[in-house]
Every structure is written in C-alpha cells, then in structure tokens.
Amino acid sequence: LAKTTQPVSMDSYEGQEVNITCSHNNIATNDYITWYQQFPSQGPRFIIQGYKTKVTNEVASLFIPADRKSSTLSLPRVSLSDTAVYYCLVGDTGGFKTIFGAGTRLFVKA
Amino acid sequence: DTEVTQTPKHLVMGMTNKKSLKCEQHMGHRAMYWYKQKAKKPPELMFVYSYEKLSINESVPSRFSPECPNSSLLNLHLHALQPEDSALYLCASSQDHGAGNTEAFFGQGTRLTVV
C-alpha cells in the first residue's frame, strides 16, 4: 500500500485559494489518487479523483506531476464552511482498501 | 439515491449488552465497508464485504461480528464491548472491490458509547 504524507494543519482566510499537497512516493502504476473531506461527526465525502496531470470539478482541482509521487488539492476561494479535515488516499489495486492517512485540518478564518 | 443510511445515529450500551449497527445503500454497490473512527483520528478500516462475502478482516476482535444479509444491507453485531471501543462507526459502499479508481460513499456514522 502506498503511504501518504500530508501537512497536519493549515490556516487560510475566506476568499483565498488553498493548496494542500500530499506525498505518495511509492505509488503503484495502477493506483489512483483520491481526496475526501470530512466534517466533525460526519462521514467522509468524496471531493475529487485523478490518475495524472490535472483534474477539475465544480469544487476543486487536482494537480498530479508526471512522476506521480505527489499531488496537490486546490480549493479556489475558500469559505468558512470549507473548514474540515482533508484526506489524500492512494488506491490499492491488489484488493481494494480505502486506507486513510492522517489528513490535513484546514481552518478557514473570516 | 446516493445515500448510505446508518442506524442508529447514537447508541449507548453497557459492556454486557448485545447490540447491532445497521447500514443500507440502494446504489447497487457490491462492496461495503465498516470503519471505526476515534476522535481526531482518521477512519480505520475494519471489514470489507465484496459481493456479500467477507473479503477483508483487519484483525478486528471477535466482539465485533459483521454480517451482510444481502447486497443492500450491512450489519455490525456488537457484544461484550469495552469502553475503549467507544467511537464513531462508519459504513461505506463502492461500486466494486478491486479497482483503484473507486469512489466510496460514506454514511453519517453511529456514535457509540460503551459504559
């Protein structure tokens, strides 16, 4: 299983762009990179998933360099409601497991 | 319907009690999961069911007993729990088991307190 490393916490202000980087040095060829968001006392919620280059949806962008050893989740113009824990996961194709890393606690201030 | 529904939302049980947590999804997903989450920690995988068969058991104590009666339902039977088992128990489902590009849908969880 590819291990992921993320910053423990980040602070931001409303309206700013937030970039959270995840390291996954031993990512396997067939692995995908997935990000989840979790609010207190709720289940994680899927944000975005990608394999290489750039993926964008209505809430975020995911940037993956050519070597795929890291990825960056970009949240445009965050609001107070984006305060949450963000998890980076790398898919295990040898038998699917969703293994969560420590996550990044994002605090958005007014 | 893209929901995973868990019941009950809260549960308080004594160490000699037997209780069950329930999880339901109607998305046609064939993989279902149980996770345990302690405060300020990431979810920890407990069990994976694939096509209604137990696929992964992450060395969970036998006081936790999973059951998958059909493709839409997942239960977690609890007996003789310890106070340290108090946590948020999360159920999740995904379309399939084995593909790296699978998105998992999570329920809101059951907050379990063992007294």
Side-chain angles (χ1 to χ4, degrees):
Chain A
L1 288 177
K3 182 183 175 184
T4 60
T5 303
Q6 307 172 232
V8 173
S9 65
M10 297 180 68
D11 289 344
S12 182
Y13 288 93
E14 283 189 292
Q16 289 188 334
E17 178 184 75
V18 170
N19 295 310
I20 306 174
T21 297
C22 179
S23 297
H24 28 80
N25 291 320
N26 58 338
I27 187 170
T29 302
N30 294 331
D31 284 348
Y32 281 71
I33 300 152
T34 310
W35 286 80
Y36 287 83
Q37 175 193 56
Q38 187 178 26
F39 299 112
S41 297
Q42 293 188 25
R45 183 175 72 98
F46 173 89
I47 301 174
I48 197 166
Q49 186 178 75
Y51 182 80
K52 63 179 180 181
T53 62
K54 177 183 174 183
V55 179
T56 297
N57 62 22
E58 63 275 9
V59 298
S61 294
L62 179 59
F63 298 92
I64 306 168
D67 66 6
R68 302 199 332 120
K69 293 184 184 300
S70 67
S71 59
T72 299
L73 174 71
S74 181
L75 304 172
R77 299 181 59 79
V78 294
S79 64
L80 296 176
S81 61
D82 292 318
T83 294
V85 178
Y86 292 83
Y87 294 101
C88 163
L89 287 77
V90 176
D92 169 27
T93 58
F96 179 70
K97 292 184 178 183
T98 301
I99 303 294
F100 286 79
T104 298
R105 293 183 179 274
L106 173 65
F107 297 95
V108 180
K109 306 173 187 176
Chain B
D1 183 2
T2 57
E3 278 195 354
V4 174
T5 303
Q6 290 188 244
T7 55
K9 287 187 169 31
H10 301 274
L11 178 62
V12 179
M13 61 183 290
M15 289 187 284
T16 58
N17 290 162
K18 288 184 179 182
K19 296 286 184 182
S20 296
L21 308 184
K22 297 186 183 300
C23 174
E24 189 169 2
Q25 58 88 14
H26 295 289
M27 294 177 277
H29 289 172
R30 303 315 300 267
M32 297 185 76
Y33 313 80
W34 280 115
Y35 288 83
K36 172 183 178 180
Q37 187 174 28
K38 303 283 278 185
K40 298 192 184 299
K41 297 290 186 181
E44 297 176 37
L45 184 65
M46 300 174 72
F47 302 104
V48 179
Y49 271 83
S50 177
Y51 290 85
E52 298 154 54
K53 294 191 186 313
L54 185 61
S55 174
I56 295 173
N57 177 341
E58 290 288 345
S59 302
V60 179
S62 60
R63 58 185 183 269
F64 296 91
S65 176
E67 178 196 19
C68 190
N70 59 55
S71 59
S72 300
L73 296 175
L74 187 66
N75 298 322
L76 186 63
H77 303 299
L78 315 170
H79 69 98
L81 294 193
Q82 303 297 310
E84 59 264 30
D85 295 321
S86 298
L88 181 68
Y89 287 83
L90 293 162
C91 173
S93 70
S94 64
Q95 189 166 18
D96 207 342
H97 172 262
N101 62 336
T102 300
E103 172 188 349
F105 291 79
F106 284 81
Q108 294 295 292
T110 293
R111 175 70 62 187
L112 174 67
T113 303
V114 182
V115 298

